[in-house]
Amino acid sequence: MKTITASVGNIKIGPGLPIVVQTMCNTHTADIEASTEQCRRMYEAGAQLIRLTVPGHREVEALREIKSRLRAEGIMTPLVADVHFSSGIAIEAAEVVEKVRINPGNFHRDHEQAKSQFTRLVQVCKRTGAAIRIGLNHGSLGTRITEMYGNTPLAMKEAAMEWIEMCVAEDFYNVVVSLKASNTVVMVEAYRLLQKAMEERGIVFPLHLGVTEAGNGDSGRIKSAVGISSLLSEGIGNTIRVSLTEDPVNEIPVAQYLADRYDHKLHSSMVSLNLEGKKAVAVYRSPSRERLMLDMSCDFGKMLLDRKIDEVEIRGTYTDEAGEEILLDGSETASYLSDELLQAARRKFYRPEYIACPGCGRTMYNLESTFNEVKRRTSHLNGMVIAVMGCIVNGPGEMADADWGYVGEGDHKVSIYKGKTPVMRHVPETEAIDCLLKLIEESR
């Protein structure tokens, strides 16, 4: 079996190598000052790869300048161009950056043209040394694949293998593959299917892991840790991103924790475990609340996803910011974290389930504050799935299993979806949350 190592600038990604931590700017790439400053902060926080959205020629030229400024400062962190809907822009960006992310589902409308354009992209990457990420998302597989396989983990695997075969046919191996989903069950199953298929094919490309549209706060961190750790614990995955609807710099410590844990530099703060049937009772002595949250997500996420256990009870202590030991036994914190863990693994829905993208240069409104306001005003709708999406790239697809969706259109306008159907379009941003709440109440 042949295993592949990808080279992205000065970074190597592949089996037997340290897990690579990456993130993505949420600035508008054409805003060179803001994007350069955010890249600088990401570098200082420890990001090893930085991705920026590149929707058009203007952003390609901006990216060229951003890269030039960073290199002049001695910041050599490789840059990744995130391209959707324009194979031509992907080819142009490959002249500038160390890696280009394409999404096969929207690389080109016509599949034969997509294959032809991909061959052109590969030729440029061979000349420049740029890597390619074949980045499939559950929500944007494209009509051709979903008509054959449905919007399923199998469809994600089949689409990825088709493009992997195109790389092999072009004798191009500087490739990383991802199969992201906002649903942890779908995400883990898709990656497992792909890993098995690559092994059976006899050639294993490095994988980029992430739970897309994970949200923010505790829930976003727990959800990401559950999905990513389940795969890393099986030896699947070589580079990771924790997608949070927050300042992207906040993603890096969470991803670094996961990298350190599965590079065997860090161990869980759990001191004992007792299994009572399908209930896990764990005792922790944790140095912080966040460490406790991440430890328990990694300790039990895979067991919950695989239905080895049904319930988790945590006991012991963690140390708060004031240095005091906080008792967990029977506490609201313990109950809350256990509920969040079960929700992240799709085993229990004790509150609404939120799907929210982290935002990027395509987002045309204040996503973070809007998402927090939607959460505040819908917190009583237990079990309902509500999506808040920055744009149409992955929005309608990733929220396919949502009851309601709020999707930015640009120009301060929003579309509101009920299920997969847009029920209101061009709603002014200032009125959109009120409209969403009104529609939800009218339908109950």
Side-chain angles (χ1 to χ4, degrees):
M1 185 172 64
K2 182 179 181 181
T3 58
I4 303 300
T5 296
S7 297
V8 185
N10 57 5
I11 297 292
K12 302 287 187 184
I13 303 172
L17 296 170
I19 296 162
V20 173
V21 169
Q22 56 181 281
T23 186
M24 183 174 182
C25 287
N26 63 6
T27 53
H28 296 289
T29 306
D31 187 341
I32 294 170
E33 295 291 341
S35 297
T36 302
E37 172 57 24
Q38 192 168 78
C39 287
R40 190 180 294 117
R41 292 196 300 116
M42 291 169 165
Y43 161 76
E44 291 168 352
Q48 295 170 278
L49 291 178
I50 297 174
R51 183 158 44 113
L52 299 95
T53 187
V54 185
H57 175 76
R58 181 177 66 156
E59 286 77 18
V60 174
E61 292 308 309
L63 196 52
R64 193 188 304 275
E65 176 63 19
I66 292 164
K67 181 181 177 182
S68 176
R69 293 188 185 191
L70 293 172
R71 300 297 179 261
E73 295 177 19
I75 298 174
M76 306 307 292
T77 307
L79 302 182
V80 183
D82 190 75
V83 183
H84 294 267
F85 303 118
S86 176
S87 57
I89 293 298
I91 293 166
E92 191 177 337
E95 300 278 1
V96 177
V97 294
E98 290 87 351
K99 184 180 177 187
V100 178
R101 180 274 172 105
I102 62 167
N103 186 334
N106 55 37
F107 187 62
H108 196 285
R109 290 179 183 273
D110 179 81
H111 186 59
E112 292 304 314
Q113 283 293 314
K115 290 194 291 185
S116 175
Q117 286 291 85
F118 185 67
T119 297
R120 289 184 58 203
L121 174 62
V122 165
Q123 295 308 313
V124 174
C125 289
K126 283 183 175 181
R127 174 168 53 80
T128 64
I132 294 175
R133 169 149 75 97
I134 299 170
L136 288 111
N137 275 26
H138 182 220
S140 52
L141 290 174
T143 303
R144 179 178 157 273
I145 288 292
T146 54
E147 284 180 350
M148 290 191 289
Y149 303 104
N151 194 22
T152 63
L154 174 64
M156 297 168 74
K157 182 268 289 186
E158 291 291 338
M161 287 303 297
E162 181 177 48
W163 285 68
I164 283 171
E165 292 294 351
M166 289 162 58
C167 293
V168 174
E170 295 292 331
D171 195 31
F172 182 72
Y173 299 97
N174 199 19
V175 174
V176 179
V177 186
S178 67
L179 299 177
K180 293 187 177 183
S182 60
N183 181 320
T184 51
V185 175
V186 170
M187 174 256 193
V188 169
E189 184 179 350
Y191 277 107
R192 285 172 173 169
L193 287 172
L194 178 59
Q195 181 74 18
K196 182 180 178 183
M198 290 193 297
E199 290 173 357
E200 290 173 349
R201 173 65 174 78
I203 182 165
V204 177
F205 286 85
L207 296 177
H208 168 64
L209 306 184
V211 179
T212 192
E213 284 93 34
N216 64 1
D218 294 345
S219 60
R221 287 161 173 79
I222 291 171
K223 196 176 193 181
S224 292
V226 165
I228 294 170
S229 70
S230 296
L231 294 163
L232 291 178
S233 68
E234 298 173 14
I236 298 173
N238 311 97
T239 177
I240 61 176
R241 180 196 175 192
V242 172
S243 299
L244 298 176
T245 312
E246 300 178 17
D247 183 332
V249 171
N250 296 349
E251 300 175 356
I252 298 167
V254 186
Q256 192 61 60
Y257 161 89
L258 291 165
D260 288 345
R261 175 157 177 160
Y262 293 98
D263 282 336
H264 309 294
K265 298 176 183 176
L266 194 65
H267 300 286
S268 174
S269 59
M270 183 170 63
V271 295
S272 69
L273 171 64
N274 183 36
L275 293 176
E276 301 173 356
K278 297 192 78 173
K279 177 181 179 179
V281 181
V283 177
Y284 287 88
R285 295 284 182 266
S286 185
S288 70
R289 183 182 180 279
E290 175 143 327
R291 177 64 184 277
L292 167 68
M293 182 170 66
L294 296 175
D295 280 346
M296 62 182 289
S297 300
C298 295
D299 292 336
F300 300 110
K302 175 175 158 52
M303 296 175 74
L304 286 165
L305 285 172
D306 292 344
R307 297 186 174 270
K308 299 292 178 63
I309 58 172
D310 296 328
E311 190 178 353
V312 177
E313 180 182 335
I314 57 171
R315 301 174 183 172
T317 62
Y318 72 91
T319 303
D320 69 9
E321 293 179 356
E324 292 186 26
E325 272 200 340
I326 306 300
L327 184 66
L328 289 164
D329 300 42
S331 68
E332 288 185 9
T333 297
S335 176
Y336 160 74
L337 290 176
S338 293
D339 284 343
E340 282 291 334
L341 179 57
L342 266 66
Q343 177 128 349
R346 298 260 169 162
R347 300 299 308 280
K348 172 184 179 179
F349 292 93
Y350 82 103
R351 58 162 175 78
E353 175 69 5
Y354 295 103
I355 300 169
C357 70
C360 68
R362 296 183 298 267
T363 305
M364 303 303 290
Y365 67 97
N366 191 323
L367 180 63
E368 186 176 348
S369 64
T370 299
F371 178 45
N372 285 330
E373 182 65 7
V374 169
K375 287 175 71 175
R376 184 184 73 80
R377 295 181 64 181
T378 60
S379 61
H380 60 290
L381 301 172
N382 288 3
M384 186 171 287
V385 183
I386 300 170
V388 179
M389 312 300 287
C391 71
I392 63 167
V393 169
N394 296 317
E398 289 295 352
M399 64 181 204
D401 64 347
D403 299 303
W404 293 92
Y406 178 116
V407 181
E409 296 178 356
D411 195 30
H412 305 289
K413 298 292 194 301
V414 173
S415 290
I416 297 174
Y417 282 69
K418 182 177 183 181
K420 300 178 182 180
T421 305
V423 292
M424 292 186 74
R425 291 192 184 275
H426 317 310
V427 181
E429 182 185 334
T430 53
E431 304 170 16
I433 297 178
D434 288 336
C435 289
L436 173 65
L437 267 292
K438 182 180 179 183
L439 287 168
I440 290 173
E441 290 304 318
E442 288 175 349
S443 70
R444 296 182 74 194

